[in-house]
């Protein structure tokens, strides 16, 4: 699923999202919801310090009178990455407004609490909200920095294929609405706008995660870390330990592909797809089995992490000669399906290749590794495996782990390789 | 000792004709009754005359011509001494005096005769053999290329490859044979073509051999230098082979020229790869070649041995991360 953060970028990345399919049932309540709560939705702007040019526009809400402004982490990610290059201002959408600083972040749930000058302000009081599938919700924010807008939609429960809960909101979120609230008719916050997959398929951070972060940020004795990136690294490290610790535990599921029995569904929250796409007049058959999750951690505008993906490709042919089949097998194995990366965030890949045996099968094994430059101790690892010893059948498997500790990459590599067997 | 008059070519300074002073006089002019007839419209019918000066030597004397006699220094004089090496312009014609006693340079040894027999075995020096080698090499190249394809029909691609190769190598062999025609006066197109095709076929076979090597022993430090050495060796042999057909060089000089070519290519290649080296890439490089070798014949390592490989990778990327991008 192609998920886009609903953050407004001034320069580029204008995400074209479909318009709502008519204003379903034209809610009678919508004008009154807008009238009552519009003044509580804040426009947040991240500007480049030197030129003052706006880099990112997002939305947010005050949660108390003590100047605590809640928004998404990805709205202010530039400030976390380059604190000396960007600054944050907030206002009602008409004036540039006052400036704010980052108080606390939650990278995993994509939330941030900013500190603004204290004083009485219209705000939302966060509390657990009980809603049911199909309930009508209203999302507010500044789409494409066009001014405050209200979007109607329905609540559709939690996403099933994530480790950490995320709400499924059927309504059109657009870039710029990130950090804005999605509320009930009577103004209870259900979630914070975070991302969209287009066609009214939108996602919210549950209000419970926002309550937890606000509680942490406002606890007595809390001090913001001197370097926010260290906090990002700490949170990622804890997250990947919990997340990857759940993969390939005691009873690993397997799937039979051709003559092979291979590991699949690393954990219950993974979603696996299988297909043998018809590739026209080809003298071979390619069967694909792929497992992934909807979990992803936004670190910077071109860097996401925390992605785990497992792919198996089975190749079979009856008409190709053995030598030509191995040309196909080599080309499939050589194809690059590693995550892209940015020089500021990650190093180049370094790979090692060995012909290994796991006791039952000979496996051509490649491990490619790269390190995160700013987040010490975290790596991206890609393990590619090709099963050896067959003449006109082949298996290319890839396990991609991004934002993982070296110990976890080692543990999962060895665990993954042990699971390959003949049927 | 006798006085020789050389008539020079105005453009190249090559000697066009020689004339020996047999008696006491030598007459120069455009008229046919002269001893030295100069076919030059700027020369008088009877222009000048070599005659004794009374002191035992000879002088060249102007017979009252319109354009006169002009020395190498550009100055016109009525009379010039005939010492060896002196040049005089008569009209637009240059003449030079020589002494018949000056010894000529030794003859240049001619190695043309040795070439054909010694450099190629007789059976190889026939058009049939050379065409056969070219055709055989082309078949090997096309066959290896076909083994690398996996579409239902690769005919189109292979036809393109065959035509492209033939065009390029015919051009290549053509250049060498024209050069050979100039230097050795022999046009040996089919020989050059056979050399080029054979070198390319060996390169293609080496490509397959190195794939097997990379499969059986991946990430061997030796693989890259070995590959470069083989390619350079092949280029050296190619250059030496072409020179054998297209030049009069000795074997020693041919191979010297070949190795110098290799060194230049190595230096250029190194410079190019250094200049192109990207400090960052998000596309991994790894030994992906797979070959249908029975696993009983393939040396494999146990899973446990992989952790040392992993730790080595970690050290490498940690070192990269410490460098500023």
């Amino acid at each position: 699923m192609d998920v886009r953060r609903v953050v407004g970028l001034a320069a580029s990345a204008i995400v074209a999202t479909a318009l709502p399919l008519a204003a379903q049932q034209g809610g009678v309540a919508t004008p009154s919801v807008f009238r009552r709560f519009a003044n509580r939705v804040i426009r947040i702007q991240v500007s480049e310090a030197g030129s003052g040019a706006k880099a990112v526009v997002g939305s947010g809400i005050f949660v108390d009178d003590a100047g605590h402004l809640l928004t998404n982490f990805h709205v202010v990610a530039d400030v976390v990455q380059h604190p000396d290059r960007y600054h944050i201002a907030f206002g009602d959408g008409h004036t540039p407004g006052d400036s704010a600083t980052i108080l606390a972040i939650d990278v995993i749930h994509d939330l941030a609490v900013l500190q603004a000058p204290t004083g009485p302000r219209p705000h939302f009081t966060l509390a657990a909200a009980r809603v049911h599938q199909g309930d009508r919700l209203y999302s507010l924010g500044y789409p494409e920095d066009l001014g405050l807008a209200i979007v109607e939609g329905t609540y559709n429960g939690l996403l099933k294929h994530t480790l950490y809960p995320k709400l499924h909101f059927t309504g059109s979120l657009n870039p710029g609405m990130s950090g804005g609230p999605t509320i009930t008719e009577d103004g209870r916050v259900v979630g914070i706008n975070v991302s969209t997959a287009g066609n009214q398929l939108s996602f919210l951070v549950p209000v419970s995660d926002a309550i937890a972060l606000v509680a942490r940020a406002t606890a007595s004795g809390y001090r913001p870390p001197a370097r926010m990136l260290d906090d990002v690294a700490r949170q990622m490290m804890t997250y990947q330990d919990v997340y990857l610790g759940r993969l390939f535990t005691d009873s690993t599921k397997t799937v039979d592909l051709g003559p092979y029995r291979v590991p699949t569904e690393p954990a219950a929250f993974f979603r696996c797809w299988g297909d043998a796409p018809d590739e026209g007049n080809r003298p071979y058959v390619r069967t694909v089995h792929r497992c992934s999750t909807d979990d992803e951690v936004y670190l910077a505008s071109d860097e996401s992490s925390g992605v785990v993906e497992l792919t198996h490709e089975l190749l079979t042919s009856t008409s190709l000669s053995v030598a030509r089949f191995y040309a196909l097998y080599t080309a499939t194995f050589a194809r690059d399906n590693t995550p892209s990366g940015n020089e500021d965030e990650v190093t180049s890949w370094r790979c090692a290749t060995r012909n290994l045996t796991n006791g039952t099968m000979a496996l051509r094994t490649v491990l490619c590794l790269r390190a995160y430059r700013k987040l010490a101790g975290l790596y991206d690892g890609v393990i590619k495996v090709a099963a050896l010893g067959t003449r006109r059948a082949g298996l290319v498997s890839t396990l991609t782990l991004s934002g993982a500790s070296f110990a976890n990459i080692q543990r999962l590599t060895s665990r993954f390789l042990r699971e390959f067997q003949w049927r | 000792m006798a006085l020789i008059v050389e008539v020079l070519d105005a453009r190249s300074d090559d000697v066009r004709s020689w004339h020996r002073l047999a008696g006491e006089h030598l007459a120069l002019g455009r008229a046919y009754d002269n001893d030295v007839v100069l076919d030059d419209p700027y020369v008088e019918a009877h222009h000048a005359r070599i005659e004794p000066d009374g002191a035992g030597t000879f002088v060249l004397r102007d017979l009252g011509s319109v354009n006169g006699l002009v020395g190498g220094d550009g100055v016109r004089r009525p009379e010039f001494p005939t010492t060896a090496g002196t040049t005089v312009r008569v009209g637009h014609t240059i003449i030079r005096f020589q002494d018949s006693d000056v010894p000529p340079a030794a003859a240049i040894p001619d190695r043309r005769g040795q070439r054909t027999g010694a450099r190629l075995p007789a059976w190889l020096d026939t058009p049939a053999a050379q065409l056969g080698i070219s055709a055989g090499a082309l078949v090997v190249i096309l066959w290896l290329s076909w083994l690398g394809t996996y579409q239902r029909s690769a005919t189109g691609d292979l036809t393109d490859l065959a035509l492209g190769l033939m065009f390029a190598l015919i051009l290549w062999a053509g250049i060498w044979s024209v050069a050979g025609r100039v230097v050795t006066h022999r046009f040996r197109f089919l020989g050059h073509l056979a050399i080029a095709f054979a070198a390319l076929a060996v390169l293609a076979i080496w490509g397959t051999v190195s794939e097997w090597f990379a499969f059986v022993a991946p990430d061997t430090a030796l693989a890259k230098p070995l590959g470069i050495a083989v390619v350079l060796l092949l280029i050296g042999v190619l250059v030496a082979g072409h020179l054998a057909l297209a030049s009069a060089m000795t074997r020693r000089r041919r191979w010297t020229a070949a190795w110098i070519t290799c060194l230049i290519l190595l230096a250029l290649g190194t410079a190019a790869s250094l200049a192109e080296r990207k400090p960052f890439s998000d596309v991994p490089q790894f030994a992906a070649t797979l070959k249908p070798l029975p696993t009983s014949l393939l040396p494999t390592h146990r899973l446990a041995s992989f952790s040392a490989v992993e730790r080595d990778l970690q050290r490498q990327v940690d070192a990269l991360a410490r460098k500023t991008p």
Side-chain angles (χ1 to χ4, degrees):
Chain A
M1 185 163 55
D2 178 25
V3 178
R4 290 171 300 239
R5 303 282 151 168
V6 282
V7 63
L9 296 174
S12 62
I14 301 305
V15 182
T17 310
L19 289 167
L21 306 164
Q24 305 158 348
Q25 311 149 19
V28 185
T30 313
S32 86
V33 171
F34 187 79
R35 266 197 309 280
R36 284 164 59 203
F37 302 110
N39 66 341
R40 300 190 196 178
V41 182
I42 309 300
R43 177 181 173 278
I44 294 173
Q45 174 173 325
V46 173
S47 307
E48 204 273 315
S51 62
K54 78 180 167 192
V56 177
V57 168
S59 309
I61 52 171
F62 277 100
V63 294
D64 52 29
D65 282 335
H68 293 123
L69 178 55
L70 179 69
T71 184
N72 286 136
F73 169 78
H74 74 257
V75 171
V76 295
D78 282 344
V79 188
V80 172
Q81 296 279 349
H82 309 283
D84 43 347
R85 222 195 286 167
Y86 295 95
H87 66 83
I88 307 168
F90 67 94
D92 55 7
H94 303 292
T95 50
D98 297 322
S99 63
T101 54
I102 302 173
L103 183 64
I105 54 168
D106 180 345
V107 184
I108 309 311
H109 298 99
D110 200 347
L111 292 171
V113 172
L114 312 182
Q115 180 66 64
T118 53
R121 281 199 180 85
H123 65 265
F124 287 100
T125 305
L126 301 184
R130 182 176 290 275
V131 277
H132 302 95
Q133 186 152 18
D135 282 354
R136 182 142 289 267
L137 298 179
Y138 305 87
S139 186
L140 291 122
Y142 291 84
E144 310 282 13
D145 199 18
L146 295 172
L148 184 62
I150 183 163
V151 172
E152 294 172 48
T154 43
Y155 174 76
N156 271 302
L158 291 171
L159 292 188
K160 290 180 182 62
H161 300 285
T162 57
L163 179 60
Y164 292 100
K166 228 180 236 186
L167 305 182
H168 177 184
F169 172 67
T170 305
S172 276
L173 294 188
N174 274 297
M177 295 179 77
S178 275
T182 294
I183 57 178
T184 58
E185 191 180 329
D186 53 358
R188 285 172 297 137
V189 177
V190 175
I192 303 298
N193 307 335
V194 67
S195 59
T196 178
N199 285 334
Q200 305 213 57
L201 199 52
S202 298
F203 309 105
L204 313 173
V205 182
V207 70
S208 51
D209 293 319
I211 293 171
L213 180 64
V214 170
R216 180 155 74 84
T218 54
S220 63
Y222 173 79
R223 289 171 152 273
R227 189 168 170 268
M228 215 40 100
L229 268 175
D230 294 340
D231 209 23
V232 174
R234 232 179 346 261
Q235 292 184 16
M236 282 300 294
M237 196 56 93
T238 312
Y239 170 75
Q240 61 89 34
D241 257 337
V242 173
Y243 197 100
L244 301 178
R246 305 253 187 133
L247 307 191
F248 295 122
T249 45
D250 4 298
S251 57
T252 303
K253 289 191 179 168
T254 57
V255 63
D256 291 342
L257 283 173
Y260 312 100
R261 179 159 292 169
V262 295
T264 183
E265 211 183 310
F269 50 91
F270 272 74
R271 181 166 39 173
C272 298
W273 315 79
D275 196 8
D278 183 9
E279 293 180 82
N281 186 27
R282 298 270 167 83
Y284 54 86
V285 179
R286 188 193 297 271
T287 308
V288 180
H289 181 90
R290 179 171 288 136
C291 300
S292 62
T293 73
D294 294 333
D295 286 307
E296 187 191 28
V297 179
Y298 180 100
L299 293 177
S301 59
D302 46 5
E303 188 194 17
S304 289
S305 189
V307 178
V308 177
E309 208 173 82
L310 171 62
T311 311
H312 298 293
E313 269 183 277
L314 172 73
L315 297 168
T316 50
S317 176
T318 48
S319 54
L320 286 176
S321 67
V322 175
R324 295 184 73 205
F325 178 79
Y326 267 75
L328 165 72
Y329 200 9
T330 298
T332 307
F333 192 50
R335 206 175 49 226
D336 173 38
N337 49 5
T338 55
S340 60
N342 175 322
E343 188 174 1
D344 291 334
E345 314 297 337
V346 290
T347 65
S348 295
W349 293 102
R350 287 290 180 269
C351 305
T353 307
R354 291 290 183 277
N355 298 322
L356 298 178
T357 174
N358 66 358
T360 54
M361 271 181 101
L363 301 166
R364 179 78 159 181
T365 309
V366 177
L367 174 64
C368 293
L369 199 68
R370 70 181 178 193
Y372 285 62
R373 287 184 184 282
K374 296 176 184 166
L375 309 177
L378 287 172
Y379 301 84
D380 285 343
V382 175
I383 301 112
K384 287 177 82 104
V385 173
L388 301 176
T390 42
R391 290 169 64 79
R392 284 197 186 84
L395 174 78
V396 172
S397 301
T398 309
L399 177 64
T400 305
L401 305 166
S402 69
S405 69
F406 180 70
N408 273 324
I409 291 176
Q410 266 200 317
R411 184 179 64 81
L412 289 170
T413 301
S414 116
R415 180 77 214 194
F416 182 63
L417 293 174
R418 271 207 305 276
E419 294 299 330
F420 286 81
Q421 299 162 37
W422 297 108
R423 272 171 84 174
Chain B
M1 132 157 199
L3 178 64
I4 305 289
V5 178
E6 296 175 334
V7 179
L8 304 185
D9 188 276
R11 283 203 192 87
S12 67
D13 269 6
D14 285 349
V15 182
R16 244 193 290 161
S17 56
W18 293 262
H19 307 273
R20 176 189 279 261
L21 178 63
E24 295 267 286
H25 305 279
L26 194 75
L28 298 94
R30 196 150 37 82
Y32 292 119
D33 59 355
N34 286 293
D35 300 308
V36 178
V37 179
L38 299 174
D39 182 17
D40 178 345
Y42 299 93
V43 171
E44 291 289 340
H46 299 95
H47 196 112
R49 192 177 149 87
I50 294 174
E51 51 193 34
D53 65 347
T57 59
F58 295 91
V59 290
L60 174 69
R61 187 160 292 143
D62 188 355
L63 298 180
S65 65
V66 176
N67 295 318
L69 301 174
V70 181
D73 53 4
V75 179
R76 179 174 173 163
R77 294 189 192 92
E79 208 176 274
F80 281 90
T82 60
T83 44
T86 305
T87 58
V88 179
R89 188 150 62 77
V90 185
H92 278 191
T93 305
I94 313 283
I95 62 168
R96 184 168 62 197
F97 301 110
Q98 284 297 2
D99 187 337
S100 65
D101 285 355
V102 172
I108 298 169
D110 179 12
R111 293 191 182 84
R112 252 178 234 174
Q114 307 161 8
R115 187 178 331 112
T116 38
R119 289 185 181 180
L120 275 184
W123 65 271
L124 253 183
D125 208 6
T126 62
Q130 291 167 352
L131 267 180
I133 289 173
S134 299
L138 183 62
V139 167
V140 168
I141 294 166
L142 290 181
W143 183 65
L144 288 175
S145 306
W146 182 73
L147 288 184
T149 64
Y150 43 85
Q151 301 90 340
R152 194 166 289 284
S153 166
T155 323
D157 289 349
L158 292 183
T159 311
D160 285 351
L161 176 66
L163 289 176
L165 275 182
M166 283 198 280
F167 179 77
L169 294 197
I170 283 172
L171 192 70
W172 172 258
I175 292 171
W176 275 105
S177 33
V178 167
R181 177 74 184 79
V182 171
V183 176
T184 68
H185 304 284
R186 288 195 61 188
F187 192 79
R188 311 177 67 165
F189 177 75
L190 288 179
H192 287 295
L193 193 65
I195 288 174
F197 260 117
L200 215 56
V202 173
L203 187 67
I205 292 168
W206 166 251
T208 305
V209 171
S210 65
E211 278 176 21
W212 276 92
F213 187 75
F215 174 66
V216 174
D219 288 357
T220 310
L222 201 63
K224 202 176 174 188
L226 185 67
I228 293 173
V230 167
V231 170
L232 284 179
L233 181 73
L234 204 56
I235 291 173
V237 171
L238 177 78
V239 170
H242 282 306
L243 285 178
L245 294 190
S247 79
M249 290 182 182
T250 60
R251 176 186 294 267
R252 198 192 164 90
R253 290 190 58 195
R254 288 201 306 270
W255 284 103
T256 309
W259 299 135
I260 288 173
T261 310
C262 286
L263 280 179
I264 291 171
L265 286 178
L266 184 63
L268 286 178
T270 311
S273 73
L274 283 179
E276 253 179 43
R277 179 174 289 173
K278 283 193 198 136
F280 175 79
S281 165
D282 66 353
V283 178
Q285 303 289 325
F286 57 91
T289 318
L290 303 172
K291 291 288 173 192
L293 189 69
T295 47
S296 53
L297 299 177
L298 180 70
T300 53
H301 303 275
R302 308 202 59 78
L303 279 193
S305 71
F306 201 53
S307 60
V309 177
E310 294 167 332
R311 278 195 300 277
D312 183 50
L313 278 184
Q314 186 196 21
R315 272 191 292 276
Q316 290 180 39
V317 295
D318 282 349
L320 283 180
R322 279 192 292 274
K323 287 186 203 156
T324 46

